[in-house]
Amino acid sequence: MMRFSRHFVRTAASTWRFAAKRCALAVAFLIVVTFAGRNSLAQANYQPSPENLKARQEFQNAKFGMFIHWGVYSVLGSGEWVFHDRALTVDEYNRLPLFFDPENFDAKTWVALAKAAGMKYITITSRHHDGFAMFDSKVSDWNIVQRTPYKKDPLKILAEECHRQGIKLFFYYSQLDWHNPNYYPRGATSWDNGRPNRGDWNLYLDDYLDGQLRELLTNYGPIGGIWFDGMWDKPDADWHLAKTYALIHELQPAALIIPNHHQSPKPGEDVQTFERDLPGQNTAGFNTTSVSNQLPLESCDTLNGSWGFNIADSKYKSPAELERRLVQAAGNNSNLLLNIGPMPNGEIQPEFVTRLQAVGEWLSNYGDSIYGTRGGPIAPGEWGVTTQKDNKIYVHILSWHAPLFAIPPIANKVVEAHSMLDASPVEFTQKSDGVVLKVPLPKSDEVDRVVVLTLAASH
Ligand code: H79
């Protein structure tokens, strides 16, 4: 009996141990499967977290952001594509960081300018297509701290200043890389720049790209999100998006993923962005015409014609053009991300500064019709757009030639109308077939005649 029971006990114990081991294995297997599944499946069934949904609302309320293209390419004053456009070799381009020493870079001035312009967030290139990290990266030495005489991390300095001044900071990140040999097979923009004809694509994505994103989402405090660019270089490649997107959402659930891939939004993405276009218009020729009715929208454009500093580009948009652009974006339910390319010495050229300050001044009068609004009830047209907030509709008349201005029917009763210019009342008649506003012709320097309609609460 004793023997039996000892034997039984031993057997039972080893059976239990075996079962426990098996069980642990099964659990481990399940965990692996669940996590692997989470990467690929969870983004497919992506449910944005409450923090993310809140961040989307805040993003939409912000309406106006500053885009900054700044890198070692700025030294040549020929835009951010100079590596490609001059078909330089990697060895040649490797010299550029040696001359990048922005002694006048002052984050306080940059952030103060964004604020003076009425911008609520900044999106800066953490690295562009040259793959050069403008931040302290341990993933490779192709970065500003290790390769330039400047030796500092400007993104760190900028992030701290943004946090101090209450501006959200987003990082632009190019998935396309003209420098790393593991960006292979190469894409549409490739040229023979001295890289070997082999490379490990998985290593590029899983170690290099995800490694740098982990740094950006860990070392700079809470960030607004990641603005991806360059996927269009290899539209059919497997970019391991589910894995990368899951990583971002895991590290910072409120960070928004904003991909500039020119396609319809994919699972895991939080904002749809349009390059040099209002949503759906595709005047640039490479954007998609399908516009999400779920995601916040953003449209980006340049203040002159260039993204990175271009010494030969004097096609500055006037303050009036910029203000109209912002109004049109808002009326299309979109943000405007307006770009400047600072100089290699860290300064922002005066032509940008004065124009941005003028837009800021305009916004100090008209901001109520932009910030916190959504696209209004009337379809945008040649004449202008509408925005709305609470019980107000802002009719932005950008072009009109008669003292009477008619708009289509509005569901709620209009109880009051006034001009934002001087708060003077605007005469109007509302009938079932539309609303007619009496608006005197514009003054010659008037950019946007904003008529504010106050609606009765619906019953
Ligand atoms: O960072 C700025 C530009 O450097 C970058 N995006 C902005 C925000 C940019 N790169 N290219 N473009 C903008 C223009 C897009 C050109 C394209 Fe094509 C036409 C992409 C796809 C078709 C050229 C031809 C590149 C691939 C094929």
Side-chain angles (χ1 to χ4, degrees):
M1 187 62 198
M2 273 296 281
R3 269 180 54 209
F4 176 71
S5 73
R6 259 205 327 264
H7 175 76
F8 174 78
V9 167
R10 222 177 35 232
T11 312
S14 64
T15 309
W16 188 87
R17 271 200 305 272
F18 178 67
K21 236 188 218 166
R22 254 199 1 203
C23 191
L25 269 176
V27 168
F29 177 74
L30 259 176
I31 290 173
V32 168
V33 167
T34 315
F35 273 86
R38 240 176 59 156
N39 283 340
S40 46
L41 288 177
Q43 296 300 297
N45 309 315
Y46 173 55
Q47 288 297 332
S49 65
E51 300 97 302
N52 190 286
L53 290 172
K54 182 162 168 274
R56 291 182 185 189
Q57 291 290 326
E58 288 167 3
F59 181 79
Q60 283 187 295
N61 291 343
K63 277 289 165 308
F64 192 26
M66 174 181 269
F67 210 174
I68 301 179
H69 276 67
W70 198 46
V72 290
Y73 44 78
S74 307
V75 168
L76 295 178
S78 214
E80 74 290 354
W81 273 60
V82 64
F83 192 2
H84 169 277
D85 291 347
R86 289 177 60 180
L88 303 176
T89 64
V90 165
D91 285 345
E92 287 161 350
Y93 199 84
N94 281 347
R95 293 180 183 146
L96 263 187
L98 301 172
F99 319 127
F100 190 81
D101 194 4
E103 65 240 12
N104 297 339
F105 167 63
D106 178 31
K108 213 182 242 170
T109 311
W110 285 20
V111 179
L113 177 62
K115 287 191 93 166
M119 292 156 155
K120 305 293 188 192
Y121 61 101
I122 292 177
T123 305
I124 187 166
T125 44
S126 68
R127 51 166 250 178
H128 204 266
H129 308 334
D130 60 2
F132 189 79
M134 291 292 284
F135 59 101
D136 185 9
S137 175
K138 307 291 182 237
V139 175
S140 97
D141 73 343
W142 185 231
N143 71 68
I144 188 163
V145 175
Q146 280 163 283
R147 293 282 188 118
T148 73
Y150 183 63
K151 292 192 173 64
K152 291 191 279 269
D153 179 345
L155 298 196
K156 187 88 180 174
I157 303 170
L158 187 63
E160 280 162 8
E161 191 56 36
C162 282
H163 291 142
R164 252 195 299 277
Q165 295 202 39
I167 288 268
K168 275 223 169 94
L169 184 64
F170 292 70
F171 292 133
Y172 169 109
Y173 189 94
S174 170
Q175 295 153 299
L176 157 60
D177 193 317
W178 291 327
H179 192 270
N180 191 315
N182 284 330
Y183 186 85
Y184 190 87
R186 294 185 279 267
T189 60
S190 76
W191 73 101
D192 181 12
N193 68 8
R195 283 186 289 183
N197 286 326
R198 72 194 110 78
D200 188 332
W201 179 241
N202 292 332
L203 213 58
Y204 170 71
L205 294 173
D206 299 339
D207 284 19
Y208 196 80
L209 187 143
D210 283 352
Q212 290 195 327
L213 288 168
R214 183 178 285 282
E215 293 174 328
L216 289 169
L217 285 141
T218 310
N219 300 338
Y220 299 86
I223 63 160
I226 301 289
W227 206 99
F228 282 116
D229 198 3
M231 222 193 296
W232 37 259
D233 189 52
K234 293 175 65 170
D236 302 323
D238 178 359
W239 288 91
H240 301 191
L241 287 186
K243 187 158 177 274
T244 300
Y245 290 175
L247 173 75
I248 296 169
H249 286 138
E250 197 176 293
L251 290 172
Q252 291 203 29
L256 302 176
I257 294 177
I258 312 180
N260 181 33
H261 49 42
H262 307 156
Q263 300 167 33
S264 304
K266 300 171 192 296
E269 299 174 350
D270 301 307
V271 174
Q272 189 179 12
T273 196
F274 298 84
E275 180 174 335
R276 290 193 194 281
D277 255 319
L278 291 170
Q281 294 200 349
N282 193 21
T283 52
F286 48 71
N287 285 309
T288 176
T289 51
S290 88
V291 179
S292 169
N293 55 10
Q294 302 287 321
L295 302 186
L297 308 174
E298 183 187 59
S299 154
C300 62
D301 215 333
T302 47
L303 200 150
N304 53 0
S306 312
W307 301 99
F309 174 57
N310 186 341
I311 201 164
D313 183 350
S314 305
K315 292 205 192 88
Y316 306 107
K317 297 181 179 75
S318 67
E321 281 175 279
L322 298 170
E323 287 147 20
R324 287 206 175 93
R325 192 74 176 67
L326 175 60
V327 167
Q328 278 164 339
N332 280 274
N333 202 29
S334 167
N335 286 14
L336 176 64
L337 181 63
L338 180 62
N339 182 75
I340 56 164
M343 298 187 284
N345 68 355
E347 288 176 32
I348 296 170
Q349 58 188 95
E351 295 86 349
F352 290 163
V353 173
T354 51
R355 284 163 178 80
L356 290 178
Q357 284 168 341
V359 174
E361 226 161 275
W362 182 84
L363 271 166
S364 65
N365 292 321
Y366 289 91
D368 277 350
S369 70
I370 304 286
Y371 301 122
T373 65
R374 300 292 182 269
I378 301 166
E382 287 294 308
W383 59 273
V385 299
T386 54
T387 53
Q388 62 184 338
K389 182 168 52 183
D390 305 325
N391 66 334
K392 300 251 191 289
I393 295 177
Y394 301 89
V395 184
H396 297 262
I397 310 173
L398 297 173
S399 154
W400 80 107
H401 308 285
L404 291 179
F405 187 77
I407 51 178
I410 292 175
N412 292 35
K413 185 172 163 51
V414 178
V415 293
E416 189 263 356
H418 67 267
S419 165
M420 261 189 120
L421 180 67
D422 51 9
S424 62
V426 169
E427 284 179 43
F428 67 95
T429 52
Q430 182 174 25
K431 294 189 186 154
S432 59
D433 54 357
V435 179
V436 175
L437 307 170
K438 194 168 168 191
V439 279
L441 290 175
K443 296 193 296 185
S444 62
D445 63 344
E446 206 178 332
V447 173
D448 176 17
R449 173 68 57 91
V450 184
V451 178
V452 188
L453 309 181
T454 304
L455 306 180
S458 45
H459 297 290

